[in-house]
C-alpha cells in the first residue's frame, strides 16, 4: 500500500508536460474529479491501525505534491508562452497612429457661455427636446392662434398635436418654475428645431442657451447688468444695445445686440453692415407665465433671455456658413483640434 503511494508521488514529481494539452492530462489524472489519489484515501481501511496515521500523512503528501507541481508547471508553461509571443513581436515596428478627436466648435462656444454664467451663480439644467404643447407654448403664454404654433414653423410628432420638437429652450423655464421655488437662477443649454429652409444663415436645428432669474425685487436693471457682463466676458466689450421687441412670455421684451464693429470684412458681413451682432432675446418674465407655473407675481419678478449659440460660434471662429456645424465634415472639425 505504502509503496503504491510512494510510486505515485514519484510519478508526480517526475512528470514533465511540455504542452498545455499535456498539462491538462496531468491535471485530470491527479487533480480531476476521478483522480488517481482519491481512492488511496479509501484504502486506509486496509492499513493496520498503528500505521493508519502514517498512511494518511503519505496520501496527503501525494495530494499536496500534485497541487504544487501543477501550479509550478502551469507557471512555467505560461512564462514560456509569453516568451514565445514576445519573440514573435517586432518591437521596433512603428505603431499605428491614433486619430485624436476634438471638441465641436458649438461645444467649445457653449462651454465659454456656461462658464461665464456659472461664475455669476447660475446653475445649469436641461430639458427634453421632445416637448409637449403646454411647456413649449401654453405655459409660456403663447396663445392658440400664435403663428409659431403653425405646422409651417413647428415640427410636430407624427399623428400628434400635443408632442413637438421644442422650438426654443424657453419650455425649460416653465419646467424649472413648476418644480422649484424662488430664488431661481438657471441657464438651460440645448438643441432646438424649427421648420425652416436650410441656408447659409438659417437651419432647421440649432442651439440656444436659456437664462432665468426669479426672486423678490428682480428688475430690468439687473438683467441689463447681467447681460452687459456677459458681453464683456464673451466678446470683450460691454457695448450692447437693447432694442424693444415682443415675446409672448416676457413684458417688456427686448433684443440684444453686441457691438462687434465693422472695421474688417468679417464683422461687416456678420453684422450685415451695421456693426451690431444680434445675439439674444430677453425681457421681464410675464406675470402670466409666473402664474401658470405656480409662482406669485405679486411677490416675485424675474428676467429671462434666450441666446443662439451658432451665431456666436460663427463670430468666434470666423465661420460663414451655419450648415458646416451640422455636416460634421472632418476637414472642418479638424481645424478646431487645438481649441479647448
Ligand atoms: N425663446 C425666444 C426665442 O427663441 C428667446 C427668448 C427667451 C426671449 C427668453 C425672451 C426671453 O426667440
Amino acid at each position: 500500500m505504502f509503496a503504491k503511494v510512494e510510486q505515485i508521488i514519484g510519478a508526480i514529481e517526475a512528470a514533465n508536460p511540455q504542452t498545455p494539452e499535456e498539462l491538462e492530462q496531468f491535471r485530470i489524472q491527479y487533480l480531476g474529479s476521478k483522480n488517481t489519489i482519491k481512492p488511496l484515501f479509501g484504502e486506509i481501511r486496509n492499513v493496520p491501525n498503528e500505521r493508519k496515521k502514517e498512511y494518511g500523512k503519505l496520501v496527503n503528501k501525494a495530494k499536496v505534491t500534485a497541487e504544487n507541481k501543477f501550479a509550478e508547471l502551469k507557471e512555467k508553461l505560461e512564462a514560456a508562452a509569453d516568451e514565445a509571443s514576445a519573440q514573435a513581436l517586432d518591437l521596433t515596428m512603428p505603431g499605428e497612429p491614433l486619430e485624436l478627436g476634438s471638441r465641436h466648435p458649438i461645444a467649445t462656444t457653449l462651454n465659454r457661455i456656461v462658464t461665464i454664467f456659472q461664475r455669476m451663480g447660475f446653475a445649469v439644467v436641461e430639458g427634453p427636446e421632445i416637448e409637449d404643447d403646454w411647456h413649449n407654448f401654453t405655459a409660456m403664454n403663447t396663445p392658440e392662434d400664435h403663428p409659431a404654433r403653425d405646422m409651417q414653423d413647428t415640427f410636430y410628432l407624427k399623428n400628434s398635436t400635443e408632442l413637438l420638437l421644442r422650438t426654443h429652450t424657453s419650455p425649460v423655464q416653465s419646467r424649472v418654475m413648476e418644480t422649484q421655488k424662488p430664488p431661481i437662477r438657471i441657464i438651460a443649454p440645448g438643441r432646438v428645431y424649427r421648420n425652416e429652409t436650410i441656408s447659409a444663415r438659417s437651419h432647421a436645428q440649432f442651439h440656444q442657451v436659456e437664462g432665468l432669474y426669479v426672486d423678490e425685487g428682480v428688475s430690468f436693471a439687473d438683467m441689463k447688468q447681467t447681460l452687459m457682463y456677459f458681453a464683456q466676458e464673451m466678446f470683450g466689450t460691454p457695448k450692447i444695445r437693447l432694442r424693444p421687441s415682443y415675446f409672448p412670455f416676457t413684458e417688456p421684451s427686448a433684443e440684444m445686440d453686441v457691438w462687434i464693429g465693422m472695421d474688417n470684412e468679417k464683422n461687416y458681413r456678420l453684422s450685415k453692415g451695421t456693426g451690431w451682432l444680434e445675439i439674444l432675446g430677453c425681457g421681464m418674465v410675464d406675470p402670466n407665465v409666473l402664474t401658470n407655473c405656480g409662482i406669485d407675481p405679486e411677490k416675485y419678478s424675474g428676467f429671462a433671455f434666450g441666446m443662439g449659440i451658432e451665431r456666436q460660434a460663427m463670430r468666434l471662429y470666423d465661420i460663414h456658413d451655419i450648415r458646416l456645424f451640422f455636416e460634421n465634415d472632418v476637414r472642418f472639425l479638424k481645424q478646431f483640434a487645438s481649441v479647448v
Side-chain angles (χ1 to χ4, degrees), residues 101-136:
S102 60
R103 291 192 202 284
H104 194 281
I106 293 295
T108 51
T109 309
L110 173 61
N111 285 347
R112 283 177 66 150
I113 298 171
V114 166
T115 309
I116 295 169
F117 283 103
Q118 278 179 331
R119 281 208 298 272
M120 286 190 273
F122 285 78
V124 179
V125 299
E126 281 182 15
E129 287 179 29
I130 296 177
E131 255 305 355
D132 52 44
D133 180 89
W134 167 259
H135 290 99
N136 198 79

Side-chain angles (χ1 to χ4, degrees), residues 45-91:
R45 277 178 281 123
N46 307 323
V47 176
N49 274 346
E50 67 279 8
R51 298 200 66 189
K52 273 193 193 334
K53 193 171 164 198
E54 192 189 339
Y55 178 80
K57 266 193 178 161
L58 192 61
V59 178
N60 217 35
K61 182 180 168 201
K63 187 172 167 238
V64 172
T65 309
E67 284 166 358
N68 290 345
K69 182 80 181 182
F70 177 73
E72 178 194 318
L73 289 169
K74 190 162 175 248
E75 198 168 311
K76 212 168 98 188
L77 273 183
E78 280 172 357
D82 282 353
E83 175 100 351
S85 65
Q87 271 170 7
L89 274 182
D90 179 355
L91 296 176

